[in-house]
Amino acid sequence: MASISTAGEAVARIAYLSSDVVLSVQPALASDSEFSKHLHSHAAKRLPSLVAKDPPEVISVRYNVDPLLSAFQPLRSGKLVSVTTSSTTLLPSIPHLYKLAQYPIVLHVSLHTVNYPDYSEITAIRQCGFTFLQSETLQEAQDLALSAHALAVKSGKGVIHFFDPANSKDDVPIDIEDRELAAKILDVDSSRAMQGTQNEASFLYVDDGRRATIMTGGGPISHDGRSEIEAVKKTASTAANKSPNREASSVGSSVRESSADSRPTVSSATSMDSLTTRPVTSEDISEYLLAIWSQIEKLTGRRYQAFEYTGSEDAQSALFVFGSTGLFVDALGAANASEEFAKFGLVTARLYRPWIGPRLAEALPPSVKRIAVLEQIRRKTTKWGPVLLDILTSLRSGSPAIGAPQIVGHQLGYIEPVTARQALRGIFQNLNSPKPIQNLEVGSREEPRPSLDQYSLAQPKVESAYMKILDQVFGERLHVANRLDAANAGISAKIAASPEFGFGSLLARSDHRRRFIGEVKDAAATRNFTTDVAQSWLSKWAMNAEDPKHVNAIAPEIIARLSNDGSSLASTLLESKALFFKESQWLIGSDAWAYDLGNSGVHHVIASGANINMLILDTQPWSERAAADAVRRKKDIGLYAMNFGNAYVASVAVYSSYTQVLEAMIEADEFNGPSVVVAYLPYNKEDDSPLTVLQETKKAVDLGYWPLYRWNPNNEDGGEPNFSLDSERIKQELEEFLRRDNHLTQLMNRHPRFAANLSESYGTEVRALQKRKAKDAYNTLLESLYGAPMTILFASDNGNAESLARRLGNRGKARGLKTMVMAMDDYPLEDLQTEENVVLITSTAGQGEFPQNGRAFWDAVKDTTELDLSQIKYAVFALGDSHYWPRKEDKNYYNKPGKDLDARIAFLGGKKLADVGLGDDQDPDSYQTGYAEWEPKIWQALGVDNVEGLPEEPPPITNEDIKIQSNFLRGTIAEGLEDTSTGAISASDQQLTKFHGTYMQDDRDLRDERKAQGLEPAYAFMIRCRLNGGVATPSQWLQMDSVSSSYGNETMKLTTRQTFQFHGVVKSRLKSAMRGINKALMTTIAACGDVNRNVMLSPLPTRSAFHRDVHQVSAKISDHLLPSTSAYHEIWLKDNGSDEKQTKVAGDAVVDKEPLYGPTYLPRKFKITIAVPPHNDTDVYAHDIGLIAIKNDSNNRLEGFNVLLGGGMGVTHNNKKTYPRTGSMLGYFPASKIHLVCEKVMLVQRDHGDRSNRKHARLKYTIDDMGVDVFRGKVEELLEAKFEEPRPFEFKSNIDTFGWQKDEEGLNHFLMFIENGRVEDTAEFPMKTGLREIAKVHKGDFRLTPNQHLCLSGVRDEDLDTIKGMLKKYKLDNLHFSALRLSSSACVAFPTCGLAMAESERYLPELITKLETCLEENGLRQDSIVMRMTGCPNGCARPWLAEVAFVGKAYGAYNMYLGGGYHGQRLNKLYRSSIGEEEILGIMKGLLRRWAVEREVGERFGDFVIRIGIVKATTEGKTFHEDVAEEEGEE
């Protein structure tokens, strides 16, 4: 049987079993208390409790954030709440304790600090109304924790169970709790009855009149459990109807029962009118507790009393210890009979409050004549210890009693184990002396080896973002009054960091400056200066002393003038020269170290009217619980401050809008009065990654939990609105939210009992209503049909399961069935048991998980015990891939959702129409093979298998159909953009907009939460520019920066195809964004779609003339292959109502043409790149056409190109018919005709590419199907010319060369590192701002590199110092990164890419950080390894050519590939499938160590892993899946 070895674990287990909600108070969210580890382990396993219907909710709370505040909301909702905490939280929580004492809450308190706890934290709160229980041993901790919960329920009052964990650290482990015994002690029926009792309260810090009461019937107390509770509810209801106010009734009283069996129950004949209530008394508490302990003794044999006496029954002396008793127990037990203290008795209090004096007298043997009271109280505030006074009152009350024992108080300090006997000897001698010394100190007052204090204040690293922004914006002007690391003489760090101290210091600081301004004005009016210059400057300064811009500009000049003046008056003023500057003064409120500002300090600052800025951080992640807990919502601080009217208010989130944070801080500083900036920074633990904080921020902002806005009362003076809403992406939704929230906040304050319901209704009730309406609409539709009903529910991620479900529905209708098709999550689960025939179709996501639109359905079905499905008939079809998870231990993931669903419905009583069908992507026709066998069984079971005259099904619409019907890419795009009812466009238009350079996406970080709130996905569009060779002018860069800020998500992505990409553009702004791009003489046409896309070119910073030659050719190719349709101009650029006209014939058909592409364009996308040896930075082997520039040796100018054909990166996991491919050499062709070569290659692909299977439609498959020679022949036939033999060339690298370089024309070029191409501003790195400022002065151009970096090109020598200074100022010159990081690349993946299976751009930097320690240890920091990561196998970051690649397989799982060529010339090979971070790090660290030791001179990592046999070399694309180290699909 399992055992328990610590008191913290014993108590945590009991708290979990006995509660609905457990508040786990911790030193930090990332640091465990002695309870939290066990609590979170239970919660993670969703272990059941004894009293809760659902697994208890464990809520982590930091110790310094007023943790008991979080107890009120669940308590008032009728939940059983317990708290596990150290004693450090008790004194700051005193305002709450007096109120919580009237609720059945249990606080389990571990006394602090370890080894030498201070019991004064218990004695200081002894009068708060709680019952106090103390345990000393490991077994007592378990039993008294259980007693505490049972007592709280019976008495309706709070119980504090406290213990010293060090006291039992050496105890023998005990058995885990007996659940059956615990259930009896807790009296589960009574506990559950109390859970239904709702309580209302209106105030946090004011006594609301609630009292724990007990019901009497004019005589004995009633103890008939359930009937009594029902009676009280009835009585309370009657009283509420009669009473004009709450205070006049006992409606808020809690209800309980007793386990004492000696009292009679209320007769059923008793009149309810005779029942009365009275407060619970100390005697009631004592009686309840004795009954509980009596029950424990009966069941276990373990006996407990209010006061425990151990020792000789004829002892004359006794020790009463209120402190750590372990040492004394051991010493007394080991004492020899001859030792003078051998017959000491030992007394401890099990029940400390209420203090039942008579019980103490009963516990002592009559022989006891002397009692030594030892109190372990380190913070002594009175002469006599509180326990000493309690004992004196109990044993010597009234006039001195004859025979009353002599009582001598002692102060118990820290005692080393080896000195325990000596201490006992000293106590005995003092106690027995004729005149004993009162308050004698025993032991040291200080612990000689103080333990590390977990409960010290520290600012989490994640919170530094806002502090860094303050430093960036205000620089030397910034003064944070309560900065955590500030030095204040004679003031402790804890006090100095408190907002109260900071507020006071700022007031004093402001008074000092006001006096100084007066002194300056007086000085300016005198003639006591050596010259008149100082006087005139002081006059200027005094006139604008409160204007920071003015005074900070002239302050240095004034100080210089006064220094030169030399007069005594000037010297006096210079003693306070810092005051010539106008500071930006701030107070910081942080949950981690300065909580009170966000709690109650705001009022004091605003009410003062002082010109002080407050930055209040809210770190609470969004959840339904957080949204409902009104006392914790710091967003309401903003509403409160706005109502004051005299304050500037902003609600910001740095991970949502960096720009808005800057604007808010600047405006707050400029506002003359109090300013409140409420800043969101959600994290679950202090060591959460920035990615986690980003995801939580987006969720809260998107759902309206955290609106972004600014409120400036000064705006109305200028005729502008005070309120500015900054959550632009969903502006309309947030405006509605803000109106609602203003109303609801006031409504909740007036009627707190409605708060939870009002808050909850926004999400769950809306969602439930949507489900019901959808179901009812279907029912109405089906009423007119005949035949048996068939409900088809699907869960689908990529559309396959949904497509099957809808096709099955149509076929069912054709057979006369009444079919209804819905997503599982859209179906009201309570109706399932009323259905007749149900078919469920689900695909498989992630690691055997349900798709997103079926997860809630499955969670409900999985956990329900109330559904009776015995009346339904059902069938399940599952879609999966038997080879997707190749390892034997992962085989259970194959079609797991379908199998689990089939088993669960059968368990709930459902009868099968057919066995579960399994569709396998490995079958000849993929999942259709298994489906074709399964579907006829359904028709046969329903008796409709032999229906004649079934209509012929139309073929599915393909991309080719969409293109040919689009009228040259028009479709219904224009109409879709005008539709304001949705943020989306139609499915066919989504395919067509790709040709226009934009993809519709949705924010996958927000999918689940938006679905739960009944909202459509957060649709937005990605826009990709077409940028020849990746070259942009400074004016174009500025315009792209403006587009990203005005219409996108404030970031730009430099892509692996050398162009700009914008994300987060909502539909209403899409046309404006397109026009903004065209304003810069740039376009997006053909940046995506089945056409030739952006032509890539090496940045080539060292050879400007040659770069110009090649760039001209790239532009010529790009322009020559551009689509000719005028649809782009019509849809995006033409003004509505414009008189521009197109020639139309045959009605409304627009006359258009595509001389190169034709009406169906190409079978698939088409990519061209140009590489300039020795640099293969464009990955020339990876594209449909790869052009290798050949220069003329005589003049170093462009001569022609070697032509590669058939490269391509797209792959489908586990589909061996798909593979990456490197280009095949066709030969050499002169530069003057190379655009025609590209045209003819494209035409052959247009006419011969596979249009029936898009997975087989790229040029690489056409060439492999036809053969290189045949394909070359067709191209030469169209060209009417032959390819020459390829010219010699050599590649030496495919990574960028960072830093400054000078070309042959004397121009300078700086290639800067931009990790994964993301251009954005962060608190640590204002990259976007820096590049914008550089673009304003730069005279050359910007060259985007294929590796997602940026080259600042064409800097003249005379501008070099200016540019270098700006690069340094904005940290853009930093190249001190590991070579691995500099050689890395990642695609976007989550959250915007709809194809992503795993993280990429947001995760690769973290992975590299975790590898860099290993690189340093092995001396590899400067050794380049090409590492790439993609979120899916489509290969946007060209992972298949990397030396190390990670390709997303599922969230958190990647396929690992090794052995690519360092020069980009060789494909890599699969090494491990579906591995997570831990395995990745283990493999990489081992390989890196081997490479450092075993490599040959100059041997690259990719070559090394092949040479030592880790993987085999991939010689061509068709062998990519052969000889892999770990076969996908084989055990």
Side-chain angles (χ1 to χ4, degrees), residues 1124-1137:
S1124 299
T1125 177
S1126 59
Y1128 184 87
H1129 179 83
E1130 291 173 23
I1131 294 170
W1132 306 110
L1133 306 181
K1134 188 176 73 173
D1135 291 326
N1136 292 333

Side-chain angles (χ1 to χ4, degrees), residues 1158-1173:
T1160 55
Y1161 297 85
L1162 299 180
R1164 281 290 262 125
K1165 57 188 169 186
F1166 198 84
K1167 298 179 179 180
I1168 301 174
T1169 187
I1170 303 175
V1172 182

Side-chain angles (χ1 to χ4, degrees), residues 775-830:
K775 177 76 182 331
D776 291 347
Y778 262 118
N779 288 340
T780 302
L781 180 66
L782 295 175
E783 283 177 0
S784 59
L785 302 177
Y786 299 95
M790 182 172 70
T791 298
I792 305 168
L793 305 178
F794 63 84
S796 180
D797 262 348
N798 57 13
N800 289 335
E802 180 177 0
S803 176
L804 280 185
R806 298 198 182 283
R807 189 175 74 183
L808 182 67
N810 291 333
R811 290 177 176 178
K813 288 178 183 177
R815 284 171 162 77
L817 302 176
K818 294 190 294 186
T819 62
M820 177 177 70
V821 182
M822 298 181 74
M824 291 182 188
D825 279 2
D826 291 335
Y827 181 84
L829 184 62
E830 63 272 16

